[in-house]
Amino acid sequence: MASPVHLRLAPTGAEAHPSAHALLLDLASTLVDDPVLTHDDTGRPRIPGLAVSISYSHQLVAVAASYEGPLGIDLEEVRPRDVDPIANRWFAPQELEWMERQPDRLRAFLQLWTAKEAVGKALGTGLENGGLRRPTPAGLTVVHPPTAGSAVLAVAFRTPGAGARRVTHS
């Protein structure tokens, strides 16, 4: 049986979790003994025995961990902004059509954006090499776990049957 993806979401600067790294280590300590956080040459966090990912905004930090990878997480705060120029430049026609049908265009944009970022993190490429135009590749699933309403969160992980079975909130 494949392992779940474990998530934590906290305000930045909170006493219990002052940084993304502290939150990630706190989560990892529930999954492995004495986790050690390092970074690869690109700056991606590494904890032996786990696939991990970090995302943060001005007000929130989100971390994810699983015993299996690939894994990516992205978080964007919901705040007023003009998304049309970016969407029109980078999103596929079917994505733009989907956005038009949604009751909240900003949230729809953020769902697409965070999904693309999470996939890029899972693949280890970020948004490079056409990441904003990249469809979710076979073998990865993207979900949008609920947040308190002030942010959109996306998690990309191995498709059920090929890795992760469920997403849990710790």
Side-chain angles (χ1 to χ4, degrees):
M1 180 173 170
S3 65
V5 175
H6 300 270
L7 303 173
R8 293 266 171 95
L9 182 67
T12 56
E15 282 186 32
H17 305 293
S19 72
H21 291 143
L23 186 63
L24 181 58
L25 282 169
D26 184 57
L27 174 59
S29 71
T30 68
L31 303 172
V32 296
D33 292 329
D34 300 318
V36 176
L37 175 65
T38 61
H39 294 85
D40 68 13
D41 293 339
T42 66
R44 288 177 54 133
R46 299 280 184 221
I47 294 179
L50 296 174
V52 297
S53 188
I54 292 174
S55 185
Y56 53 89
S57 66
H58 294 309
Q59 297 180 11
L60 296 169
V61 60
V63 297
S66 178
Y67 292 110
E68 299 182 33
L71 178 64
I73 190 168
D74 192 56
L75 169 73
E76 287 287 336
E77 289 177 36
V78 177
R79 59 176 175 73
R81 60 184 105 174
D82 183 12
V83 298
D84 289 333
I86 295 171
N88 290 330
R89 179 173 181 192
W90 294 106
F91 289 177
Q94 60 271 32
E95 293 169 329
L96 293 171
E97 290 169 12
W98 177 82
M99 276 180 59
E100 287 298 324
R101 294 190 307 269
Q102 303 311 304
D104 186 333
R105 186 172 174 77
L106 174 59
R107 279 191 179 275
F109 170 86
L110 292 174
Q111 285 182 327
L112 290 170
W113 184 271
T114 57
K116 291 170 183 293
E117 286 268 16
V119 166
K121 288 180 178 183
L123 297 175
T125 61
L127 293 179
E128 294 176 0
N129 301 321
L132 285 172
R133 291 196 172 104
R134 180 187 308 122
T136 301
L140 284 182
T141 296
V142 177
V143 297
H144 291 278
T147 65
S150 62
V152 173
L153 179 67
V155 183
F157 57 93
R158 187 182 306 272
T159 297
R165 292 282 185 213
R166 65 187 186 280
V167 173
T168 63
H169 293 275
S170 299

